[in-house]
Amino acid sequence: MAASAPTPHATGFPAEGRCGYYVAKKKRFCRMVVAAGKRFCGEHAGAAEEENARKRILCPLDPKHTVYEDQLAKHLKKCNSREKPKPDFFIQDINAGLKDETEITEQMVPISSLSEEQLEILIMKLKKASEGLNSTLKDQILSHPALHDALNDPKNGDSATKHLKQQASILGNIEKLKLLGPRRCFVEFGAGKGKLSHWVDIALKDAEKVHFILVEKVTTRFKVDGKHRRKNSVFERLQIDIQHLCLNKIPVLSREKLPVVGIGKHLCGVATDLALRCLVETCGASCEERNEEPLAKRIKNDKADKEINTLAKEGSEKNVPDKWTPVAGIVIALCCHHRCDWRHYVGKEYFRALGLGAEEFHYFQRMSSWATCGMRTTSLEASAVPRSRESESDDSEDHEDRGPRTPAAHAASLPRFLTVEEKKKIGHLCKLLIDQGRIEYLQQKGFHPMLQYYADPGVSLENVLLTALPTQSSSAEATS
């Protein structure tokens, strides 16, 4: 049998038509195609004697690539890293909330560094602030015929089935609130691949004049936007941070005046607050003249006798806005309370009314991860380290449970005076208190908000759904 031809790597020569520069780090020749008559590609041309007269320098916009010094001016005009013109709907920090410099605290120590006495004081504050809140939410686990075939596909794995069950329940809740219909705009925050909007579009069938706006901060692979061919719906993707998005400036909304339905599946921590402020404060009002006055305090003198649903009803009746809001409804699956941020949090006035501030919020948000720590590999210390908000939602559009922790690792992270069950209850209380601040905010803005379970814990540990309808359009049937 004849021996196979030697590879360029084995012979010490580059492949034909490829760059002759040897990349020592990769132990191979550069694979870039070279111009006719040249030995090196543009990136490595400086290694060739014939190119020594022209100097290559790092691009000032992105040092990951180089450019000929004498062509720098031309390159800067077309470099992919150049700053592009901002669209009209980009307004810096429009949804960020007011920054109160007096509340900026010193660097917080990790929870694991707190003494037992300090931790006990925090837990006492949490329990006192949570008195009267109904910690048993109503089960609203629904489904929708649009996902019937997908749910029964035998090719589905466990992960795909869990995603579909959550999407089906969210879609069922959207329908129950009577938000599925023609002539409206669905804004999906933290859209990721856009699958939630995809199923909403499938469910709408022949509904006319439906627009989808998919908001995502980062570039996403395997998007499903292009798979839609229904003539009555339009998909538009905006690559923008929710923090800077003014809905009132989006052309289709300013032109068509379509009612907006805000939706989201597993919208991480701070992104939920940004999305709520984006919907409530920048959709109907002028973005330039938006009122930034803080919310009025609503101190409850007899919280023990009030439940969360009663609070929602009373708040809605007392806080009807002066003018109609174009937001028809909000349906957002909550997630990752440990990634919230005090500046962006919409419930600051609620916390202040309870005698709590930025420091308590910081530790409560970290302790909120205790609600699931017994079933995940994340450690207590990981929950104490702030994480940057790289994206409103992960590429997978969900946060998969990463398996049970080992007993030794779990025991090591537990404060000595807390059991596993006590720790989980404290974590759930932290989540509930943070969400209650969002409920109060929406009530103040003229909405009738509700919290409910939309999925079984076996499907997702982050299984709370926040829904809200404008007070004047909510009904007993829609919120029952």
Side-chain angles (χ1 to χ4, degrees):
M1 182 176 178
S4 59
T7 64
H9 183 83
T11 61
F13 296 100
E16 185 178 356
R18 304 289 174 165
C19 178
Y21 183 83
Y22 185 78
V23 186
K25 186 177 180 181
K26 297 183 178 180
K27 299 181 180 180
R28 62 168 173 79
F29 285 95
C30 172
R31 293 171 180 167
M32 292 292 290
V33 177
V34 297
K38 300 291 183 180
R39 181 183 172 192
F40 298 94
C41 67
E43 192 69 23
H44 300 125
E49 286 185 359
E50 63 269 24
E51 297 291 345
N52 277 343
R54 301 181 69 191
K55 182 181 178 183
R56 291 190 72 87
I57 61 174
L58 295 177
C59 174
L61 299 179
D62 182 5
K64 292 180 181 179
H65 65 273
T66 61
V67 61
Y68 284 118
E69 188 174 26
D70 56 1
Q71 291 185 342
L72 178 61
K74 181 180 179 181
H75 171 79
L76 292 178
K77 294 179 181 179
K78 60 181 182 180
C79 179
N80 289 334
S81 299
R82 71 189 186 281
E83 184 177 358
K84 300 174 180 63
K86 296 290 191 296
D88 290 341
F89 51 78
F90 180 99
I91 299 181
Q92 187 73 32
D93 293 332
I94 185 68
N95 302 313
L98 293 175
K99 187 174 183 179
D100 189 344
E101 297 294 341
T102 63
E103 293 184 342
I104 301 301
T105 58
E106 296 296 326
Q107 183 66 34
M108 302 290 185
V109 298
I111 297 177
S112 57
S113 298
L114 296 177
S115 66
E116 288 190 6
E117 182 181 359
Q118 290 173 313
L119 198 53
E120 284 178 334
I121 292 174
L122 279 172
I123 294 173
M124 287 175 60
K125 287 184 177 181
L126 172 67
K127 291 181 177 179
K128 182 179 179 181
S130 303
E131 289 177 358
L133 294 184
N134 183 10
S135 59
T136 306
L137 305 182
K138 183 177 181 180
D139 283 337
Q140 201 73 274
I141 303 174
L142 306 176
S143 190
H144 195 279
L147 286 91
H148 181 268
D149 291 341
L151 282 167
N152 291 283
D153 189 342
K155 297 180 181 179
N156 289 337
D158 289 342
S159 178
T161 301
K162 288 181 178 181
H163 285 302
L164 290 168
K165 285 182 177 179
Q166 293 173 73
Q167 290 156 350
S169 184
I170 294 174
L171 194 56
N173 277 278
I174 293 174
E175 184 175 55
K176 183 177 177 63
L177 294 171
K178 300 181 180 179
L179 295 174
L180 279 180
R183 297 190 56 81
R184 61 195 61 198
C185 179
F186 292 88
V187 180
E188 183 179 356
F189 294 95
K193 301 172 187 175
K195 288 187 177 179
L196 183 55
S197 292
H198 164 78
W199 291 116
V200 172
D201 185 52
I202 297 297
L204 287 171
K205 296 180 180 178
D206 298 323
E208 297 183 353
K209 208 165 188 179
V210 180
H211 203 99
F212 292 90
I213 296 177
L214 281 61
V215 182
E216 179 57 67
K217 179 182 176 181
V218 298
T219 303
T220 307
R221 300 176 66 193
F222 310 118
K223 299 183 287 289
V224 298
D225 314 14
K227 297 181 179 180
H228 298 274
R229 295 291 183 267
R230 196 165 66 85
K231 63 179 181 180
N232 293 324
S233 63
V234 177
F235 278 72
E236 181 179 359
R237 181 173 284 266
L238 305 182
Q239 187 175 334
I240 184 174
D241 193 320
I242 304 172
Q243 183 169 327
H244 314 301
L245 174 61
C246 180
L247 288 179
N248 197 40
K249 294 289 186 178
I250 297 177
V252 67
L253 294 180
S254 60
R255 180 178 66 251
E256 302 291 343
K257 305 295 182 184
L258 296 173
V260 170
V261 179
I263 60 176
K265 176 175 176 283
H266 288 272
L267 199 56
C268 285
V270 62
T272 294
D273 297 300
L274 296 174
L276 292 178
R277 192 176 281 111
C278 179
L279 286 164
V280 172
E281 300 187 28
T282 71
C283 192
S286 169
C287 290
E288 289 84 358
E289 301 176 0
R290 183 165 57 88
N291 184 8
E292 291 280 6
E293 290 299 317
L295 302 179
K297 293 184 179 179
R298 300 177 64 216
I299 303 177
K300 292 170 281 297
N301 296 320
D302 190 13
K303 290 174 57 184
D305 295 329
K306 298 181 181 180
E307 292 187 349
I308 195 169
N309 292 347
T310 305
L311 285 171
K313 182 177 179 181
E314 291 180 357
S316 299
E317 292 172 351
K318 295 178 181 178
N319 296 284
V320 178
D322 295 332
K323 57 183 180 181
W324 173 79
T325 173
V327 178
I330 300 172
V331 181
I332 293 176
L334 304 176
C335 183
C336 298
H337 293 72
H338 65 279
R339 299 184 70 177
C340 291
D341 183 272
W342 176 250
R343 181 195 173 185
H344 305 308
Y345 180 51
V346 296
K348 284 192 286 189
E349 289 303 320
Y350 172 71
F351 261 61
R352 293 190 185 112
L354 296 173
L356 305 174
E359 183 175 354
E360 289 82 6
F361 180 83
H362 170 84
Y363 287 115
F364 290 168
Q365 71 172 97
R366 301 302 174 194
M367 290 158 62
S368 69
S369 64
W370 292 359
T372 57
C373 68
M375 288 165 267
R376 296 192 182 195
T377 56
T378 49
S379 67
L380 174 65
E381 193 62 35
S383 73
V385 179
R387 295 171 60 188
S388 61
R389 178 167 47 88
E390 297 175 355
S391 171
E392 283 76 36
S393 71
D394 286 356
D395 260 359
S396 63
E397 297 186 13
D398 200 353
H399 302 154
E400 291 297 325
D401 307 328
R402 289 170 269 182
R405 304 177 58 190
T406 62
H410 191 200
S413 69
L414 274 172
R416 287 190 296 275
F417 62 95
L418 290 176
T419 66
V420 175
E421 287 305 314
E422 287 173 338
K423 195 178 178 190
K424 286 172 61 178
K425 289 179 181 179
I426 290 170
H428 282 295
L429 273 183
C430 290
K431 285 176 173 284
L432 182 64
L433 191 65
I434 292 172
D435 288 338
Q436 181 61 22
R438 293 163 170 167
I439 290 288
E440 295 282 331
Y441 169 79
L442 289 170
Q443 290 172 4
Q444 293 264 348
K445 294 298 183 178
F447 286 82
H448 183 84
M450 295 285 289
L451 293 171
Q452 53 263 316
Y453 293 121
Y454 79 100
D456 187 89
V459 173
S460 175
L461 295 175
E462 298 283 12
N463 62 341
V464 175
L465 189 71
L466 171 64
T467 65
L469 295 174
T471 304
Q472 57 268 44
S473 66
S474 61
S475 64
E477 180 183 357
T479 57
S480 60

